[in-house]
Amino acid sequence: MANHSPLRFKNRIFYALVAAGGLVVLMGLYAAHMMEGHGHIITGMNNQIVWGMPHVFAIFLIVSASGVLNVSSIGSVFNKPAYKARAPLAGLLSIAMLAGGLTVLMLDLGRPDRIIVAMTRFNPTSVFAWNIFLYSGMFAAVALYLWTMMEKRMNPWSKPAGLLVFVWRFVLTTGTGVIFSFLVARQAYGTALLPPMFIVMSFAWGMAVFHVAQSSIYEWNEKLLDPYVQKRMKNLMGVLVIAAFYFVAAYHLTNLYFARQTGFERFILLDGGIYPLIFWIGYFLLGNLLPLLLIYHPALGKSRSILSASLLIILGGFSFLYVFIIGGQAFPLSIFPGYQVTSSFGDGAIGLYQPSLPEIMLGMGGVGIAFLITTIGVRVLDFVPHELPKSA
Amino acid sequence: MSDTNEMSNTSEQRRQFLKTSVGAAAVAIAPGMLMFDMAHGKTEAVSGKVRWGMLINTANCEDCDECVKACNKENGLSGGLSPTDSQWIRKVELKDMRTERSLALPMMCQHCAEPPCVDVCPTGASFKRADGIVLVDKHICIGCRYCMMACPYKARSFVHEPLHDQKPDVPRGKGVVESCTMCVQRIDKGLQPACAEACPNKSILFGNLNDPGSEISIKMRTEASTQVRADLGLDTGLRYQGI
Ligand code: SF4
Ligand code: SF4
């Protein structure tokens, strides 16, 4: 195929993209600097909503970083050539998002300067401490995996390395779910359903992120995705979205009927103001129904609509996490069951939270980091999926 | 009895762990920290013999906040009530939804024997002293707020702004989490916590739960008292009467 656009023009766009990404990252860093100087008072977080927008971004990035590796796992562990060709790109995306998510998490700390303390002191009973270990191990595992794939001599090792990554990411996503599962006193969390729910959600979100990256790269290189591969990947994504939705439904139903947390469920699903709105419109309608329609409707399902579906799934992921993390904290703790409670510290009252610009900028900075690493990685190293002839 | 044995067993383990985690901090001596460490070392010798606790009689708590004022003064808190201000102790108004009986009580860190905040803290900054007081080492805390998520009693505050005019014997810091210390600085001098001393009705009884002859133990043996959310099994060091 003749390449009509002059190379120089493309180079320019590349630098423009890098500059734009860099700017977003700089804004994020500036926000972190402001937060460090003024304290968290300039965020919307407070003593009731202690985790806010940065955590929504960070957890999305980290969970998707694990999920995107689905593509490589299917390739190496289950030996599917169409996926194998995409494994390096999946690995790169994973490292990029992990880096972005962890940076946000770290810069949101009250004392980011003490990150060394977090790495050198390890409280073995803390899930959070395990996660610090799991996240850094994940970097190493994926880097090793990438190396075995890209270095010819190391190719024979790529299968065991793939297996290591496969197992590691399961543990990692489980660990992320367990962070919340351990919060037994909070009605929104503290259920054993969370780890599997996070695993399945990670698959769906990771797949969506992969699709967005892949479509952009193909567009850029003026390549067309093999319709067969496209069909298989989109069907898998559809199944994953349905599976994730199943878990979310199970989570709410368990709360309703078994744990008898009807008050909390009413709040999140019906009368909690912004939270039910985001849940039903952002998560359910835009994040599930619409993408499924785009994927499965016979008249649709072409690459454009799959790209839109992927973007919507990502939006749905953010909506879900916003409701889960922030809505979950906004609902008051039940310290005195059976009593109506008031105090100067927000006991018995719905927590107020208004995300502020700095914390959104910080979160976006994390996305910017992921974007930059991916863009530069794809350009400098060869991460474009090469279809093996006859990929079926 | 086997209960106390179990308790001292876990605190034995925790103490071991604490030794390692607090050890390094002792080197990075800030004046306030030195105090915490000394206090920690001192009580270690009497561990198991002492578990500080409080028994709060809620009968006279309505329309009074002397304990809150005394705490703010002792610990140099601003007394501000915005959602970002620290409140180590607060008055909670309760109304029984069935009987409509209303009451009020002071709420603060319950100094759990099995503190979730300590379990989840990634760095070990949240720790339980040998005498049962749960503290945050403000030099190790990274400000992740996981302990605030884990505490069932909403006992902790995060310092959202730079602080001025701190009290020299109550170290605090922006970006770290803090909560009721049971006034360690006073206890280690042989005094009572400020709230207990200030209560005009003598409703806060402070003492050693592990000494069967202490006033608090005797009262708990002879009168009914409850732990808040006893169902969570955290074995709180604070007990209430009248709820
Ligand atoms: S009341 Fe909360 S802060 Fe205090 S020891 Fe228990 S869990 Fe920790
Ligand atoms: S905020 Fe500080 S004390 Fe609380 S869990 Fe994090 S490091 Fe530990």
Side-chain angles (χ1 to χ4, degrees), chain B residues 108-112 115-118 134 150-153 155-156 179:
Chain B
M108 59 271 220
C109 172
Q110 304 287 298
H111 297 279
C112 312
C117 57
V118 172
V134 176
C151 171
Y153 304 105
R156 299 201 149 187
S179 58

Side-chain angles (χ1 to χ4, degrees), chain A residues 7 13 21 41 100 131 134 148 185 199 208 251 283 309 330 334 343 369 373:
Chain A
L7 203 63
I13 299 192
I41 192 89
N131 274 286
L134 285 174
T148 60
I199 289 187
Y251 159 70
Y283 174 71
S334 162
S343 82
I369 290 175
I373 295 180

Side-chain angles (χ1 to χ4, degrees), chain A residues 310-390:
Chain A
S310 305
L311 289 169
L312 284 169
I313 293 169
I314 293 173
L315 175 80
F318 274 97
S319 308
F320 174 84
L321 286 175
Y322 191 90
V323 174
F324 179 76
I325 297 175
I326 295 166
Q329 295 171 81
F331 190 73
L333 275 171
S334 162
I335 304 179
F336 300 95
Y339 285 93
Q340 211 176 346
V341 194
T342 49
S343 82
S344 58
F345 203 51
D347 289 280
I350 304 298
L352 295 177
Y353 174 76
Q354 198 94 57
S356 76
L357 195 60
E359 58 188 313
I360 296 173
M361 269 161 59
L362 174 58
M364 288 303 297
V367 177
I369 290 175
F371 174 81
L372 261 193
I373 295 180
T374 312
T375 312
I376 296 174
V378 168
R379 174 85 175 187
V380 175
L381 299 161
D382 184 22
F383 277 106
V384 183
H386 294 293
E387 226 66 71
L388 309 166
K390 264 290 64 56

